[in-house]
Amino acid sequence: MVKLILRNQEYEVRPGMTLLDALKKNDILPEAVLCTRDGELITEDEILKDGDVIKLIAAISGG
Amino acid sequence: MKCRTCGQKAVVNMRQHKLALCKDHYLEWIPEQTERFIEKYNMFTREEQILVAVSGGKDSLSLWDILQRLGYQADGLYICLGIDEGLKYSSESQRLVWKFAAEHGLKLHIVDIQKEYGATIPQIALKSHRGRVKPCSVCGLVKRHAMNRIARDLGYDVLATGHNLDDEAAVLFGNTLTWSGEYLLRQGPLLSGAPGLARKVKPLCRIYEREMLAYALLRGIEYIYDECPFSIGSTSIYYKQILNKLESDRPGAKQSFYLSFLDARKSGLFAEREEIQAELHPCPNCGQSTSAPGLCSFCRMMSR
């Protein structure tokens, strides 16, 4: 499985799908996050592999 | 996805520009874009002294980084708000700003609101009508007043803030929902100076928030990731989420919303700026310009 982590929340998706599909499947707006794997930024066309841990970094700030 | 410039693996894809770039070319592209907007909106020159308002967040620290990379004379201003319950938000922000300044050999001014006015932002908010529910409005007013005062007292030509396109689009969205004409007239990349009021500029106003995050990460800028505890559930974040939903379905929608507004105003959809400037009056207490005769909003609030 592939794990997505956004702040304190974890999501699991099946390997083989694109990062964009994984985000949409979990109702995460691609425009509101950046995604890293092993500390490196990756783009949303990346195909997710079994065992991947994708850390999502929220872009929105303010008040 | 490949970098449009060199064909290497891209790390950032910007759908609204139909542009993907690798790390090296992205870190060149962002300062180039910033410089383009500084020149387009006549924000400032390399001969002028710039005061950058730095909060410890990704946008303002990145702006400071970009300006010094571009060779501008930019000093920093950190305003300590005293928001330290729980996660020590202000203390941690100040530490990160101080660290950035020290590592880059940049001059930093620090203003402590509690030392200046005898109370922290949460304490001032508790006593004022405008901050009774949430202190954000009080915080904005106090910060604007302090930034203007420091820029004026220390002789800076211009005050630069790290507002990005998402910030601007969210404010525009809110003001459009209520057709707040006076606020719509004032919003823009540049707010001209007036006696007692520093010129204000937003060099990042055409760059998406997500792109500024990518810049901060790729440059290795350590910034405060946690939100201000008072901003959770704020209207501005709600508007940003709505606009990002729109952007997801229609890439470029946020940019088009903001730029169309600027074009519409330029072409005369709204009243000319001179009409507002003619109505400015100096506050009899602090000397800063205010739209109505008598004390400015800040001095009125602090006198209560």
Side-chain angles (χ1 to χ4, degrees):
Chain A
M1 293 300 276
V2 176
K3 195 180 281 185
L4 307 180
I5 304 172
L6 177 58
R7 295 195 189 271
N8 296 324
Q9 210 157 354
E10 290 191 3
Y11 307 85
E12 279 198 340
V13 294
R14 286 196 311 277
M17 67 169 72
T18 65
L19 177 54
L20 182 64
D21 288 338
L23 294 175
K24 284 182 174 171
K25 193 176 162 59
N26 288 288
D27 291 327
I28 299 167
L29 288 174
E31 308 304 328
V33 293
L34 281 174
C35 308
T36 63
R37 184 173 54 200
D38 301 327
E40 299 288 329
L41 278 180
I42 53 173
T43 52
E44 57 275 13
D45 62 333
E46 197 81 21
I47 307 283
L48 301 175
K49 296 188 295 287
D50 195 21
D52 275 352
V53 176
I54 309 296
K55 191 178 168 206
L56 310 178
I57 304 165
I60 294 181
S61 64
Chain B
M1 205 170 287
K2 293 194 185 313
C3 171
R4 184 199 282 178
T5 307
C6 68
Q8 296 293 309
K9 188 175 168 56
V11 294
V12 184
N13 178 36
M14 295 166 280
R15 293 200 301 159
Q16 80 280 16
H17 297 311
K18 296 185 173 64
L19 176 67
L21 292 171
C22 67
K23 177 181 176 180
D24 289 350
H25 288 115
Y26 188 75
L27 290 177
E28 285 176 9
W29 184 81
I30 287 283
E32 283 168 10
Q33 292 298 302
T34 309
E35 174 104 295
R36 188 159 79 85
F37 303 133
I38 289 168
E39 290 172 2
K40 179 179 174 65
Y41 298 112
N42 297 312
M43 290 183 182
F44 45 77
T45 65
R46 282 188 171 71
E47 286 68 48
E48 290 185 294
Q49 297 285 336
I50 305 154
L51 185 63
V52 185
V54 277
S55 65
K58 64 186 185 309
D59 304 295
S60 56
L61 283 176
S62 293
L63 173 62
W64 204 9
D65 182 71
I66 292 165
L67 293 181
Q68 61 102 14
R69 281 181 69 197
L70 289 170
Y72 287 101
Q73 303 177 59
D75 297 339
L77 167 64
Y78 175 79
I79 300 173
C80 180
L81 306 167
I83 300 174
D84 269 336
E85 298 88 355
L87 53 77
K88 298 279 172 198
Y89 180 77
S90 288
S91 304
E92 180 61 4
S93 304
Q94 183 168 336
R95 184 187 73 78
L96 293 169
V97 172
W98 186 87
K99 180 172 175 277
F100 182 89
E103 284 173 359
H104 292 78
L106 297 168
K107 186 174 179 181
L108 173 66
H109 304 282
I110 296 179
V111 172
D112 188 324
I113 294 295
Q114 186 165 28
K115 282 185 189 152
E116 294 275 325
Y117 304 116
T120 64
I121 290 290
Q123 289 166 348
I124 296 171
L126 274 178
K127 291 178 189 166
S128 85
H129 176 72
R130 87 163 52 213
R132 206 172 289 162
V133 181
K134 245 180 176 312
C136 304
S137 163
V138 167
C139 185
L141 181 61
V142 173
K143 277 193 291 193
R144 282 193 296 277
H145 192 271
M147 287 189 293
N148 277 324
R149 183 175 61 76
I150 301 297
R152 181 191 64 189
D153 291 354
L154 299 182
Y156 284 93
D157 299 299
V158 58
L159 176 66
T161 57
H163 291 95
N164 57 50
L165 190 138
D166 293 53
D167 294 322
E168 292 301 287
V171 168
L172 177 59
F173 188 66
N175 288 337
T176 305
L177 285 178
T178 52
W179 289 114
S180 304
E182 200 181 325
Y183 291 125
L184 287 168
L185 273 163
R186 279 193 223 149
Q187 191 183 352
L190 180 145
L191 193 60
S192 303
L197 203 62
R199 186 192 338 152
K200 285 187 201 138
V201 296
K202 300 167 183 170
L204 308 178
C205 68
R206 298 269 304 260
I207 302 176
Y208 278 17
E209 184 148 31
R210 184 172 178 271
E211 289 156 19
M212 289 318 303
L213 171 62
Y215 181 85
L217 294 174
L218 292 170
R219 280 286 288 169
I221 294 171
E222 198 182 345
Y223 67 93
I224 186 144
Y225 181 59
D226 290 312
E227 283 299 320
C228 168
F230 293 112
S231 77
I232 295 163
S234 71
T235 310
S236 65
I237 288 181
Y238 175 59
Y239 289 160
K240 283 183 178 182
Q241 287 166 341
I242 292 173
L243 290 165
N244 272 335
K245 176 81 179 79
L246 194 63
E247 183 76 18
S248 268
D249 298 335
R250 300 268 185 277
K254 284 187 294 194
Q255 179 177 260
S256 168
F257 179 52
Y258 181 60
L259 296 186
S260 304
F261 158 72
L262 294 181
D263 285 346
R265 199 177 55 184
K266 197 175 171 188
S267 64
L269 182 63
F270 304 99
E272 292 297 321
R273 277 203 52 75
E274 283 72 18
E275 290 179 26
I276 290 188
Q277 291 201 336
E279 293 169 10
L280 292 176
H281 309 271
C283 168
N285 186 48
C286 70
Q288 291 195 21
S289 294
T290 179
S291 55
L295 292 175
C296 68
S297 308
F298 174 80
C299 291
R300 274 203 313 275
M301 181 180 76
M302 296 304 283
S303 68
R304 283 179 192 143

